[in-house]
Amino acid sequence: MAWRCSATSLPQLGRLKCSYVLVCALLAALWSSGAKAGLYSPIDQVLVLDSDSVSRVFNSSSALMLEFYATWCGHCAAFAPVWRSLARDISEWKPAVDLGAIDCANEDNRKVCTSFGILGYPSLKFFPAYASEDSTGEDLRGFPRDVRGLRHLIIDKLESHKEPGPPACPPLEPASAAEIDSFFENNNVEHLALVFEKNSSYVGREVILDLLQFENIAVRRVLSSEKDLVSRLGVTDFPSCYLYYTHTNYSRLPVIGEARAFYSFALQRLPGVVRAGKPLPTISGQQNNSTGEPWREFNRTRVYMSDLESALHYSLRVELSAHSNISGEALTALRHYISVLAKYFPGRTAVKGALKAVDDWLQKQEEKEISYSDFRTALDSTVLYRGYPCAVWTLFHVLTVQAKASGSTDALEVLQAMREYVGSFFGCRPCASHFESMAQDSLSHVTTPSAAILWLWSRHNRVNNRLAGASRTEHYHP
């Protein structure tokens, strides 16, 4: 759904208006209302971690797949429904493996994310069962973005898990005829289900894990190459599922279709098969307003100074903190970024003074490398707040207008500072790559401050149109 937005709340912007899709405003609202709640809640069956609870990834009896995300990141917001669907899809697997998430946009969590080496979002890491406290997990680069692919990835990680593995994880390897023949001598269950399949199929392993929380039944995977069992039971279809009791007492499981969902549904409802333990308690997902003030709808037609200051807060105090030391092109990018902020940021006197002080300090540094801790010291007197949604876009829109209004003749001063900052520090790396592609394509055509303003708006609109299919939720703030 498209909305018409105009930036009219700051007098310096005059009558600058632009019509564009509401993706940016959506993310701004998402950040302002979701900075504390993040993209997930307990009702999503995702283990929501923070700086106080992240220690749960260590010395756990179950493995954990953990997503590191930022609430403001459009790619994270687009991936969140997939992560939620995956959590629901494998909810029965929880004794062996769990899904978690931690919001790196929350400043309280930033130190944790940095310690795990997170520079871009979303990032996935796999933590094996009984991971040591110095473990940073296994980076899962290029991970699938669909439920099926992620489900298979989890199975691969469980199968390759080093000892000791999750105690609750049942055998996932193929069973032999000898194992099946002696199964009831060593196991006290009523039903044994055999899923016959080809080696490349994941159906058998998925069904094994789907039945993990159920008692009085066991599931084993049998490959089509196990000729003895295949011949004995007369198996001709792969996959297919059989209930096996003795070498003369077996039958094919009657299902509508030969697929994981039908097998798991039917097996969970066999006589005598019951769920182990107690059902999980119901958790309300209602977000309460504890401010004492009535909620009022977010006004998407305005540019709020709090959003501009939130962009400063996040970029300087959170995003930069991922870089312990800053040198080379990154240091040059930081100098340019702070310089245009000090010149053109239209904020409160105290904030403008703080930016000027930081700029002066930075320009005096003669070393080829500075530490973030030293840079942070120069920021200690700065009071900046709130989140980091599309406020960074809005910030640079304002800076381009302020540059023109101040009489600047350098058409690329602000845009080049933005390009360097995004390229060096912006946490959403796919976003940074896309912005750099746009800059390489046409930034050289910008020759006046007015053209700089229009170039940034046109590229912002292009990004919004590209992301226009994202899911939409109404957000409010007090």
Side-chain angles (χ1 to χ4, degrees), residues 312-321 323-326 330-331 333-339 341 354-355 357-363 365 369-382 384 421 425:
L312 293 183
H313 171 84
Y314 188 88
S315 66
L316 300 182
R317 291 178 178 262
V318 179
E319 200 158 50
L320 281 178
S321 68
H323 303 261
S324 301
N325 295 290
I326 305 172
L331 181 57
L334 181 60
R335 293 183 193 275
H336 290 168
Y337 178 54
I338 297 298
S339 177
L341 286 174
L355 290 171
V358 172
D359 182 46
D360 290 343
W361 175 85
L362 193 57
Q363 301 306 327
Q365 304 308 304
E369 180 179 271
I370 65 170
S371 67
Y372 176 75
S373 60
D374 290 340
F375 179 81
R376 179 62 184 264
T377 300
L379 292 173
D380 283 346
S381 62
T382 304
L384 303 173
Y421 176 83
F425 303 113

Side-chain angles (χ1 to χ4, degrees), residues 208-450:
I208 290 172
L209 291 166
D210 285 345
L211 272 292
L212 178 57
Q213 295 191 38
F214 289 80
E215 297 178 340
N216 216 19
I217 186 172
V219 183
R220 292 293 183 268
R221 178 189 188 218
V222 182
L223 297 184
S224 57
S225 57
E226 190 67 37
K227 300 301 184 181
D228 184 9
L229 273 177
V230 170
S231 175
R232 189 193 310 170
L233 275 65
V235 179
T236 58
D237 298 321
F238 304 95
S240 58
C241 184
Y242 285 73
L243 295 174
Y244 184 92
Y245 301 100
T246 70
H247 69 284
T248 59
N249 183 9
Y250 54 84
S251 62
R252 186 166 179 171
L253 183 70
V255 290
I256 298 175
E258 305 296 335
R260 169 208 174 191
F262 296 114
Y263 294 159
S264 297
F265 182 87
L267 294 175
Q268 290 170 1
R269 286 157 180 80
L270 289 175
V273 175
V274 295
R275 181 183 293 277
K278 298 180 179 179
L280 296 174
T282 301
I283 303 174
S284 172
Q286 179 66 37
Q287 183 176 358
N288 296 320
N289 175 10
S290 58
T291 64
E293 300 181 24
W295 295 105
R296 57 179 181 270
E297 189 170 358
F298 184 78
N299 189 333
R300 300 181 177 92
T301 67
R302 297 178 177 272
V303 175
Y304 290 95
M305 181 57 66
S306 58
D307 283 333
L308 297 181
E309 292 186 353
S310 78
L312 293 183
H313 171 84
Y314 188 88
S315 66
L316 300 182
R317 291 178 178 262
V318 179
E319 200 158 50
L320 281 178
S321 68
H323 303 261
S324 301
N325 295 290
I326 305 172
S327 61
E329 293 182 356
L331 181 57
T332 300
L334 181 60
R335 293 183 193 275
H336 290 168
Y337 178 54
I338 297 298
S339 177
V340 297
L341 286 174
K343 285 183 180 180
Y344 306 124
F345 188 80
R348 295 173 292 131
T349 301
V351 176
K352 293 166 67 175
L355 290 171
K356 182 64 168 62
V358 172
D359 182 46
D360 290 343
W361 175 85
L362 193 57
Q363 301 306 327
K364 292 177 182 177
Q365 304 308 304
E366 298 179 355
E367 295 83 0
K368 295 183 179 180
E369 180 179 271
I370 65 170
S371 67
Y372 176 75
S373 60
D374 290 340
F375 179 81
R376 179 62 184 264
T377 300
L379 292 173
D380 283 346
S381 62
T382 304
V383 181
L384 303 173
Y385 50 88
R386 266 180 56 177
Y388 192 62
C390 280
V392 69
W393 277 103
T394 306
L395 171 63
F396 279 100
H397 284 311
V398 171
L399 293 177
T400 56
V401 174
Q402 287 293 107
K404 180 180 185 301
S406 67
S408 172
T409 58
D410 188 344
L412 294 177
E413 181 182 19
V414 174
L415 295 182
Q416 191 60 33
M418 180 180 186
R419 180 182 184 180
E420 293 170 348
Y421 176 83
V422 169
S424 297
F425 303 113
F426 199 62
C428 177
R429 300 318 299 164
C431 304
S433 297
H434 186 259
F435 185 83
E436 177 59 24
S437 296
M438 293 191 297
Q440 291 180 5
D441 180 58
S442 59
L443 193 59
S444 60
H445 300 160
V446 176
T447 58
T448 66
S450 295

Side-chain angles (χ1 to χ4, degrees), residues 56-57 59-64 94-98 127-130 161 166-167:
R56 295 178 62 176
V57 306
N59 299 313
S60 172
S61 61
S62 63
L64 175 70
K94 280 186 180 292
V97 63
D98 205 350
F127 292 86
Y130 304 108
H161 198 295

Side-chain angles (χ1 to χ4, degrees), residues 27 30 39 67 69-81 84 470-471:
L27 292 178
L30 175 64
L39 295 179
E67 178 197 2
Y69 73 94
T71 312
W72 52 264
C73 171
H75 292 273
C76 300
F79 181 66
R84 294 189 195 101
S471 60

